Structure formats: C-alpha cells, structure tokens
Amino acid sequence: MIVLGLSSGTSVDAIDAAAADFHLGPDGVLRMRPLGHTEYEWPAALRERILKALPPAAVDMGEVTQLDTLIGQEFGRAGRQAIDDVAGGDVDLVASHGQTLYHWVVGARAHGSLQLGNAAWIAERTKRPVISDFRVADIAAGGQGAPLVSVLDALWLGRDPQSPDGAPAGLSAALNIGGIANVTLVGEVEAPVTGWDTGPGNCLIDLTARRLTGEPFDRDGALGAAGTVDQAALRALLDDPYFAAKAPKSTGRELFDATYVPRKLASVRPDLTGPDLVATLTELTAVTIAEGLLTVAQSIPADRRSASDAAEPQREVRRVVVSGGGAHNPTLLARLRAYLPRDCELLTADQLGMPIDAKEAYLFALLGFLSAHGVAGTAKGVQRRRSTGARRAAVLGSLTPPTPLVWPAFTGPIRRLVLANTPFGLAPMPKGTHR
C-alpha cells in the first residue's frame, strides 16, 4: 500500500511531502520503503497570513474560514504534484496533518488542537481518499495529542534482542527539533515508551534571526556561534513551570510565542540582542532537551524493564537520533553534545535511513496506513497509558470522503518498523504480506 504523507510544521517553512510503500508480514514486521520526499514552498502572501494568525494573535472566524480553505487548496496542489514527483503517479491514500494554528493546553492537560487545511480540497485535487485531523481522537481519550511521532519511534528504534540490528543496550532517544522539540525514549521492542515536547526547538531562534537579519532561521548556526551565552538571561528563560512539568506533556507557540523572550528578560536583560541573544536561545534549546531526556530516563519505573535487561543500564540514554530543521544547526548540535554523557552517541536520522527533513511527513504516511487498517496510532506508554498519556489506544484521524475503505483491518500486533532502504530491511517480503 502506497501512502503519501503531507505536513507543515510550526515554523511554516514549507509543505513537506513523502511517499512510502508499506508491507506488513505475518511476523508482525512492517517494512516501509521510502519512495521519495520533497517540499513545496508556501506562497509568500499565504505564509504571512498564517504566521500573523499564530498565537498570540487574535483572529476572527472569517480569517479562520479563509485560511482553512486556502491551506486546504495549497495542500491539495502540493499533494497532486507530489503524487507525480515522488510516487510516480501511484498512491493509494493521502494522509494530511494540515497546519497547526492552535494547540490548547491548560496546565497538564490538552483540551484540543486545531489544524487547518480542509481535507475535502485535498481529496478533490488528488482524487484520492484523505485521512486528516489526527490529533483530536487522542486528546478525547485523555492524551496530549502530541507528539504523535512516538509510534514511529517505538516501532523503528525499539531494540530487538533476537535481531542484531546494531541498536545499543539501554535507551535510544528519538529527537525531532522543529519549531518545538520533542523526544521519544525507546527501549526494547514492544516495551512502553515515553514521548513529550521538551520545549522550544527552533522557534525562538528563528524569531530572533528573522528580526536581526531578515533570514527565516540561523543559517548554519552562524549567529549562535558568534555570540556568547548570557547566563543571567539563560536562568531567567529556564525559570518556567513547563520545563519542570512531568512527561508526557505538549506545548507550542501558544506558550513560546513572539512575546516570550521579551517578557522573560524584561527584568534581567532587557537590552540583550544580536548574536549573544541567539547564542543564549540556542543554549536554552540544548539544555532543555538534554536535561529533559536524562531526567525522564531516570524516572522510568522498574516494571518497564524486561527480565533480560535486569543487569543492563536500562535507564541510561545510549544514543540520540536527531531529525528536523535543528539537525542542520551545527552550533545547536555541538551544545547538545556538551550536555550529553560521553558514552551517549549523537547521530542524525539519515544515518539510520530516515531523511532528517522528511521524518514528519513519513510519520503521517505511517499514521495514514495504520488508521486505514484500524490500528491505533499511539505507542504503549507507562502505567497502562499510551505514550501521549491517553487512557486507551485510539485509531487516529477522519476519512474524506466518508466511504468504505478497501483495505482489511489488521488483527495481529505490529512489532517493528524496518526501513527497506537499510541493510536490515532488504530481506524478501514474507509470504502472506499485506499490500
């Protein structure tokens, strides 16, 4: 089954598209063959309207309605083009995340999440069924609705003691540094995982770089490398209840908006600017990621560990696998490296076969595949919850048009995800494979 995933992140950089061919064998191994990925720039005027509508802006319903239509039409154009560009015209299903406008969190609980880009426009343009609106079902089940990538991370990076796939003992941390950074801590295959948003990824850096240079981001981390971290400012920025809150948790531009840095620094460093400010914000991202993942790793309950791991340092993070735009920032990666244990490997997702700029789009292709077959789109978490904190597993998304799907529901478990472009994914498809 070939699924096209479409996504646009909180940075509103572009519409990302990725197509993958999925085969599930009777052994519970899901093989994903990436067919290709690309991105399509937003029309400048529409991108500006989206950015102006993000928090803390107050937007009337007329603008929301227009954006829902215009974003849906643009996703439809991108989807139609991507079917030819990356899938050779052969796609069975489109999975669209849309564009997040608002993620509603109060305290430790998520109450809703709004992604614009009406799926009817995408279905009309692509002439394919579309699954969209992936987050709300998890929120209705008591979850955060984010980060949803934990299901991909758990299936992809889970260590199988019976398979010499090179995964180290202990924990792997799948880190995606987009506008907001998120982490999934993964141990053995089918073991519970923990996923959460660590806080700002690129969003505060991007806002500052844009104001200082007109560039949409700190290209090659040059500004951050040229500056010096202001320790007083860093302490003020770290003094936020979100960083101390327990995982699973989620956040967005609703908290880390354009007013966040001026508000936090007003009483300590109101005049901090230039490369020193970018260096400080880069340090903030690195510190909150590293401290967050190491703290959560140490809090893993004993019942999460299997008997085979009893003698292993199962609570130690042994590798961090980075994806997203932040993976292109060498200054940020160097500062993150400085906060990680010496025996913890830091590598990028493409070193394991997953393109760093397309992981989110491939995620939604995977979620579309799972939903089309009636499979829950969240990973098993601790304390009988899902990785998002939900009380139960939920099949994610809504189908447009609402017609019966031709693909059968899966009844057995999916144990692992193997990328077919890696040495361990090149085995022949087992007999009885679903397509």
Side-chain angles (χ1 to χ4, degrees):
M1 178 181 179
I2 299 177
V3 185
L4 175 69
L6 300 173
S7 178
S8 177
T10 53
S11 297
V12 201
D13 294 327
I15 297 174
D16 298 315
D21 193 359
F22 293 93
H23 295 266
L24 178 63
D27 57 354
V29 175
L30 177 62
R31 288 191 171 88
M32 183 181 96
R33 181 165 64 93
L35 300 179
H37 65 276
T38 189
E39 64 178 28
Y40 302 97
E41 288 188 3
W42 286 100
L46 179 54
R47 181 173 187 268
E48 283 301 312
R49 287 180 69 173
I50 296 171
L51 290 172
K52 288 180 180 178
L54 295 176
V59 185
D60 65 38
M61 290 307 299
E63 180 68 356
V64 172
T65 302
Q66 291 180 38
L67 285 175
D68 192 37
T69 294
L70 294 172
I71 292 170
Q73 291 172 341
E74 199 60 35
F75 265 75
R77 279 189 283 270
R80 176 58 266 174
Q81 188 66 41
I83 289 173
D84 295 329
D85 289 348
V86 302
D90 185 11
V91 163
D92 300 303
L93 175 72
V94 176
S96 173
H97 171 255
Q99 177 64 58
T100 296
L101 204 69
Y102 195 87
H103 189 66
W104 181 20
V105 179
V106 179
R109 183 179 176 186
H111 293 268
S113 192
L114 178 63
Q115 286 72 46
L116 297 186
N118 195 286
W121 293 104
I122 306 172
E124 177 66 25
R125 190 64 182 264
T126 62
K127 308 302 180 188
R128 304 297 198 281
V130 178
I131 296 180
S132 62
D133 197 20
F134 285 94
R135 299 189 185 276
V136 178
D138 181 71
I139 294 173
Q144 293 286 323
L148 295 179
V149 72
S150 294
V151 68
L152 186 158
D153 296 333
L155 292 172
W156 173 41
L157 297 178
R159 181 169 52 85
D160 189 345
Q162 300 178 353
S163 175
D165 59 2
L171 297 170
S172 292
L175 168 63
N176 188 74
I177 311 176
I180 298 296
N182 60 66
V183 169
T184 308
L185 284 178
V186 183
E188 279 196 1
V189 168
E190 297 184 294
V193 304
T194 302
W196 74 102
D197 290 337
T198 62
N202 304 314
C203 63
L204 300 181
I205 300 170
D206 291 351
L207 284 167
T208 305
R210 187 180 187 190
R211 178 173 56 81
L212 293 174
T213 68
E215 291 273 0
F217 54 91
D218 182 15
R219 192 175 301 277
D220 298 323
L223 285 171
T228 300
V229 175
D230 187 302
Q231 294 297 331
L234 180 62
R235 287 192 296 271
L237 292 166
L238 287 169
D239 185 21
D240 191 293
Y242 182 80
F243 300 127
K246 293 183 178 180
K249 57 184 178 179
S250 62
T251 189
R253 286 179 179 258
E254 301 74 31
L255 175 58
F256 300 106
D257 62 21
T259 71
Y260 184 83
V261 173
R263 284 189 288 108
K264 283 290 186 178
L265 300 187
S267 62
V268 290
R269 289 289 190 271
D271 298 325
L272 183 64
T273 188
D276 289 351
L277 177 56
V278 178
T280 304
L281 295 175
T282 301
E283 196 80 358
L284 173 70
T285 294
V287 170
T288 52
I289 289 171
E291 290 188 352
L293 69 87
L294 296 175
T295 299
V296 174
Q298 291 301 311
S299 70
I300 294 172
D303 62 2
R304 173 167 162 178
R305 291 173 285 171
S306 65
S308 64
D309 281 338
E312 295 181 354
Q314 186 67 359
R315 298 186 186 190
E316 294 183 8
V317 179
R318 290 301 184 89
R319 67 174 175 178
V320 177
V321 184
V322 189
S323 60
H328 296 291
N329 185 329
T331 306
L332 175 56
L333 294 187
R335 295 311 303 149
L336 177 60
R337 170 71 273 174
Y339 286 103
L340 295 175
R342 289 185 179 181
D343 60 351
C344 177
E345 182 182 13
L346 180 65
L347 65 159
T348 56
D350 52 3
Q351 293 176 256
L352 300 180
M354 180 70 73
I356 59 177
D357 293 320
K359 184 182 175 186
E360 289 282 304
Y362 279 119
L363 162 66
F364 288 102
L366 171 64
L367 291 177
F369 174 84
L370 296 177
S371 295
H373 293 90
V375 179
T378 54
K380 180 170 65 175
V382 299
Q383 298 177 341
R384 299 185 179 181
R385 296 237 170 187
R386 308 303 289 177
S387 59
T388 58
R391 297 180 298 273
R392 62 174 182 83
V395 177
L396 306 181
S398 301
L399 176 66
T400 304
T403 53
L405 292 175
V406 298
W407 304 289
F410 294 147
T411 56
I414 300 177
R415 297 185 62 250
R416 298 186 65 199
L417 173 72
V418 176
L419 300 182
N421 58 347
T422 62
F424 297 100
L426 296 177
M429 296 298 148
K431 294 181 179 180
T433 294
H434 295 284
R435 185 181 193 275

